[in-house]
């Protein structure tokens, strides 16, 4: 607990500042935030390191909630006053009560004290009501300091992507020397480093979200399903918890795609995903996922097998009410039924998959449940022995980790793994912008089996983009040699430099968005489609972003052999952001 009382009249003199120690403190803060697993962990690390760096007794990080006009305290660290909590649930302060903060938030740069390097400068506040530096607007905060037994504080604004995000607050207790102008300048630097750490943390949070989410339906993807199933089976091995898996195959999707187009087929998949989610809500703790294509599943832990089967029956009935579709083929496998020992996720998948296979082959309107047939159970036999065709036994295996995949989760994991590769011959330096972007482009192109990839660059303040690096994986049948076209771009020939004013989609992508264009689609931008036609491509997926060196763009080009690029835009955009984070270098 913190002591209370009035501030001392004579303030102690602080020892000289150790510049090397402060430099180490900035590096330590950056490393601590980089190692955090979540945004709140990163904020906690920032508060701890900032308090230590400035020899403060207490530190807090607050975020500005624009919609409510208030500062919300995310973290308090150090000697806390009565009523303060380390991770407060609802500690907020109206911005209007602090004019200096309100002025910064509402009029960025207008009449505000800015440091020489363009950062918003931290300001000091003492608890002494007679301090000539405390104007009338600051007396309320001075009184607040005295109530909390503090002699002074520093407030450093935090910007995120050029906008006011919140503040770093540091305080010392009564009897300590007050912060100096040099301390305020250092707090400005720490706040800037916190801003960089928060940007990286948010990008990684987005990466984690994309890594476990199916982009079309919003359900869990195959990677998330595997993770959840592994955890559930661990509980089953430990204490016998019932684990069930429901596998569904949407009937009629190919007919819908062929006759009405993939957009109508996607709507069918989305509609079924909604039904699956609603039915899954009837089973507490279940996870609804899309395995890929027209295959979906439910993973449950702790629910009786009979209840899971009842919900699967309801799902089959609801699927028959969907427009365009022809119901679903549904298979169920549960450790609560007579299916033998289940020690791995693969075995439960094979059982549920075999049940779904039988439902599909028999045009069943109800789910087929493993372990509830005759003895021996035909579903269990199918899962263990496969199918006999022409006297030869074949096995029906679930697709897992093939050479090529358009799964966003696998794409994210593969690219980030390549970026973090620890092999000394393959490691990419963080400041090598093109090298890191090449890892993203080459790894992504390999997974989706793209024809080629381009990396392009836009200098700061320019509207002209040129290709600076490329990879060709196979040739196309366009009107010109794509190798020659790209070589001209690399040599900066006039006809290989693109004026972004003529390519609006590309111009937006370079600023941090993504787009996907497929030839022959009504409403395509003519300039973007012309690039595809000249190269003999069928589609392009592009995503970009910027760092201090300039704007950057990655393009993946497709032909008829390339896997679908639909829905991969957010994933590629997140990967480009990760590649562009940290130190930067121009081409």
């Amino acid at each position: 607990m913190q002591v209370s009382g009035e501030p001392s009249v004579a303030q102690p003199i602080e020892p000289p500042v150790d510049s090397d120690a402060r430099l180490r403190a900035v590096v330590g803060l950056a490393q601590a935030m980089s190692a955090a697993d979540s945004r709140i962990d990163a904020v906690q690390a920032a508060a701890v390191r900032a308090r230590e760096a400035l020899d403060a007794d207490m530190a807090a990080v607050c975020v500005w909630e624009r919609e409510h006009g208030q500062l919300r305290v995310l973290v308090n660290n150090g000697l806390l006053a009565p009523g303060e909590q380390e991770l407060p649930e609802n500690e907020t302060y109206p911005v209007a009560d602090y004019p200096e903060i309100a002025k910064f938030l509402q009029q960025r740069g207008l009449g505000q004290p800015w440091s020489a390097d363009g950062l918003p400068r931290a300001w000091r506040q003492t608890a002494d009501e007679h301090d000539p530096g405390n104007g009338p607007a600051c007396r309320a905060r001075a009184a607040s300091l005295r109530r909390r037994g503090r002699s002074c504080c520093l407030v450093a604004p935090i910007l995120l992507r050029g906008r006011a995000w919140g503040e770093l607050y540091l305080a010392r207790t009564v009897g300590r020397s007050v912060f100096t102008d040099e301390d305020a300048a250092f707090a400005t630097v720490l706040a800037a480093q916190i801003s960089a750490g928060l940007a990286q943390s948010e990008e990684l949070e987005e990466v984690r979200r994309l890594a476990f989410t199916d982009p079309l339906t919003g359900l869990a993807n195959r990677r998330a399903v595997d993770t959840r199933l592994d955890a559930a089976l661990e509980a089953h091995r430990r204490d016998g918890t019932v684990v069930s898996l429901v596998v569904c195959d949407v009937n009629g999707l190919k007919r819908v795609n062929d006759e009405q187009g993939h957009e109508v087929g996607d709507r069918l998949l989305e509609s079924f995903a909604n039904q699956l989610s609603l039915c899954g809500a009837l089973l507490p703790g279940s996870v609804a996922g899309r395995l890929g294509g027209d295959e979906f599943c439910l993973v449950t832990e702790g629910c009786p097998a009979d209840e899971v089967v009842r919900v699967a029956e309801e799902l089959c009935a609801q699927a028959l009410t969907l427009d365009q579709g022809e119901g679903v083929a549904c298979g169920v496998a549960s450790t609560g039924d007579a299916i033998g020992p289940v020690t791995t996720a693969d075995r439960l998948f094979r059982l549920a998959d075999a049940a779904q296979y039988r439902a599909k082959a028999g045009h069943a309107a109800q789910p087929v449940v493993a372990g509830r047939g005759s003895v021996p159970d035909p579903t269990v036999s199918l899962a263990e022995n496969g199918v006999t065709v022409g006297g030869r036994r074949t096995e029906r295996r679930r697709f897992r980790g093939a050479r090529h995949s358009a799964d966003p989760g696998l794409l994210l994991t593969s690219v980030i793994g390549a970026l973090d590769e620890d092999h000394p011959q393959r490691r990419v330096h963080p400041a090598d912008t093109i090298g890191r972007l090449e890892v993203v482009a080459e790894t992504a192109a390999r997974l989706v089996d793209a024809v080629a990839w381009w990396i392009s660059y836009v200098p700061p303040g320019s509207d002209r983009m040129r290709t600076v690096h490329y990879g060709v994986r196979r040739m196309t049948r366009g009107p010109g040699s794509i190798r020659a076209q790209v070589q001209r771009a690399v040599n900066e020939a006039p006809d290989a430099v693109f004026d972004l004013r003529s390519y609006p989609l590309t111009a937006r992508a370079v600023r941090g968005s993504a787009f996907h264009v497929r030839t022959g689609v009504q409403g395509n931008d003519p300039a973007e489609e012309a690039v595809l036609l000249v190269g003999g491509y069928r589609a392009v997926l592009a995503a970009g972003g910027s760092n201090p060196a300039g704007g950057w763009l990655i393009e993946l080009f497709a032909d008829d052999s390339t896997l679908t690029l639909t829905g991969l835009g957010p994933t590629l955009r997140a990967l480009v952001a990760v590649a562009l984070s940290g130190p930067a270098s121009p081409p």
Side-chain angles (χ1 to χ4, degrees):
M1 299 296 291
Q2 187 171 355
V3 297
S4 60
E6 293 296 318
S8 302
V9 176
Q11 301 293 346
I13 298 175
E14 284 287 285
V17 172
D18 185 339
S19 299
D20 289 340
R22 288 197 162 178
L23 178 60
R24 290 193 297 270
V26 173
V27 174
L29 188 150
Q31 292 174 336
M33 293 190 71
S34 178
D37 292 328
S38 65
R39 189 181 79 157
I40 192 61
D41 289 340
V43 170
Q44 281 186 290
V48 171
R49 293 303 183 110
R51 177 180 58 78
E52 294 173 348
L54 273 160
D55 192 23
D57 296 303
M58 180 268 182
V61 177
C62 310
V63 63
W64 177 31
E65 295 183 337
R66 288 174 170 81
E67 66 275 23
H68 301 301
Q70 63 187 15
L71 284 170
R72 177 175 294 277
V73 179
L74 299 178
V75 170
N76 289 311
N77 177 262
L79 290 173
L80 305 185
E84 291 179 335
Q85 299 176 324
E86 186 171 2
L87 295 174
E89 294 183 4
N90 192 31
E91 184 180 348
T92 60
Y93 300 94
V95 172
D97 290 353
Y98 301 96
E100 71 280 16
I101 298 177
K103 187 176 181 182
F104 163 71
L105 294 175
Q106 297 168 6
Q107 299 179 347
R108 178 191 163 196
L110 183 59
Q112 281 295 309
W114 292 84
S115 63
D117 54 6
L119 300 175
R121 185 183 301 148
W123 59 84
R124 300 183 298 134
Q125 171 79 50
T126 70
D128 185 359
E129 60 181 339
H130 303 297
D131 187 339
N134 291 344
C138 301
R139 288 173 183 165
R141 174 163 274 180
S144 176
L145 286 170
R146 291 194 296 275
R147 286 195 303 272
R148 288 173 168 83
R150 293 167 182 156
S151 65
C152 60
C153 69
L154 276 176
V155 181
I158 298 173
L159 296 180
L160 190 59
R161 299 186 180 92
R163 300 182 65 187
W165 181 87
E167 68 172 33
L168 168 66
Y169 174 92
L170 300 143
R172 287 176 178 167
T173 55
V174 169
R176 298 284 312 280
S177 61
V178 299
F179 291 113
T180 64
D181 288 340
E182 192 170 22
D183 291 331
F186 184 47
T188 299
V189 174
L190 293 177
Q193 186 58 59
I194 291 171
S195 172
L198 287 171
Q200 181 183 29
S201 176
E202 289 192 357
E203 287 164 0
L204 292 177
E205 288 284 348
E206 178 67 3
V207 166
R208 292 187 184 99
R209 185 190 68 79
L210 290 170
F212 293 95
T213 304
D214 175 62
L216 176 64
T217 64
L219 299 180
N221 63 9
R222 190 181 70 236
R223 185 168 301 277
V225 168
D226 287 344
T227 300
R228 181 68 181 89
L229 187 56
D230 286 341
L233 286 175
E234 179 62 32
H236 171 70
R237 290 189 290 267
R238 185 177 60 250
D239 53 28
T241 301
V242 174
V243 178
S244 303
L245 178 64
V246 180
V247 174
C248 305
D249 189 292
V250 178
N251 294 329
L253 178 64
K254 185 179 186 304
R255 175 189 59 78
V256 172
N257 284 338
D258 291 345
E259 296 178 1
Q260 301 185 59
H262 286 270
E263 290 186 2
V264 178
D266 286 349
R267 287 200 295 271
L268 172 59
L269 293 175
E270 290 177 276
S271 297
F272 177 72
N274 291 337
Q275 294 287 4
L276 181 67
S277 180
L278 291 172
C279 288
L282 301 174
L283 300 169
S286 66
V287 171
R290 183 185 178 204
L291 299 173
D294 57 2
E295 285 197 319
F296 294 78
C297 73
L298 272 175
V299 178
T300 72
E301 176 185 350
C303 297
D306 287 344
E307 184 65 15
V308 175
V309 172
R310 187 191 69 77
V311 170
E313 292 172 346
E314 176 66 17
L315 179 62
C316 290
Q318 291 296 326
L320 290 171
T321 68
L322 298 177
D323 292 339
Q324 310 299 337
E326 301 169 6
V328 294
C330 183
V332 181
S334 174
T335 62
D337 285 321
I339 59 175
V342 175
T343 58
T344 66
D346 282 341
R347 173 164 171 74
L348 196 63
F349 251 119
R350 288 183 66 82
L351 288 163
D353 197 38
Q356 185 269 331
Y357 180 82
R358 291 188 62 225
K360 189 87 166 181
H363 304 285
Q366 297 289 317
V368 173
V369 184
R372 296 194 177 189
S374 58
V375 180
D377 183 79
T379 299
V380 176
S381 298
L382 177 62
E384 294 177 347
N385 302 318
V387 182
T388 301
V389 179
R392 297 181 61 187
R393 191 179 74 184
T394 63
E395 290 187 336
R396 184 170 184 267
R397 296 185 182 275
R398 178 163 303 283
F399 170 79
R400 284 176 179 272
R403 179 184 176 189
H404 300 302
S405 172
D407 174 66
L410 182 59
L411 180 61
L412 284 162
T413 304
S414 299
V415 174
I416 291 176
L419 285 171
D420 294 339
E421 174 61 59
D422 222 12
H423 194 286
Q425 294 181 348
R426 294 191 292 272
R427 186 180 300 141
V428 180
H429 193 277
D432 181 7
T433 298
I434 291 183
R436 291 174 64 81
L437 289 173
E438 179 184 355
V439 170
V440 175
E442 178 61 31
T443 307
R446 176 180 56 79
L447 277 175
V448 301
D449 198 18
V451 182
W453 53 263
W454 291 6
I455 297 174
S456 300
Y457 169 71
V458 182
S462 174
D463 287 324
R464 301 180 72 79
M465 181 182 79
R466 62 184 176 91
T467 300
V468 294
H469 204 23
Y470 70 98
V472 178
R473 307 184 70 249
R474 59 179 176 272
M475 300 303 292
T476 66
R477 297 181 179 179
S481 164
I482 199 63
R483 289 184 187 272
Q485 295 167 35
V486 178
Q487 191 59 52
R488 288 197 303 271
V490 173
N491 291 335
E492 297 184 302
D495 60 345
V497 176
F498 298 90
D499 188 337
L500 291 180
R501 291 171 294 185
S502 300
Y503 298 89
L505 287 179
T506 299
R508 285 196 294 272
V510 170
R511 292 193 293 268
S513 67
F515 68 87
H516 173 223
V517 173
R518 190 173 69 248
T519 59
V521 176
Q522 187 176 6
N524 276 350
D525 181 271
E528 303 286 0
E529 184 160 0
V531 174
L532 298 177
L533 295 175
V534 168
Y537 302 132
R538 295 300 304 273
V540 62
L541 174 68
S546 61
N547 63 11
W552 303 86
L553 185 76
I554 286 180
E555 295 169 281
L556 304 179
F557 293 96
D559 62 7
D560 289 331
S561 300
T562 304
L563 301 184
T564 178
L565 302 177
T566 304
L568 292 180
T571 306
L572 186 60
R573 182 180 62 190
L575 290 169
V576 170
V578 171
L580 294 178
S581 63
S585 61

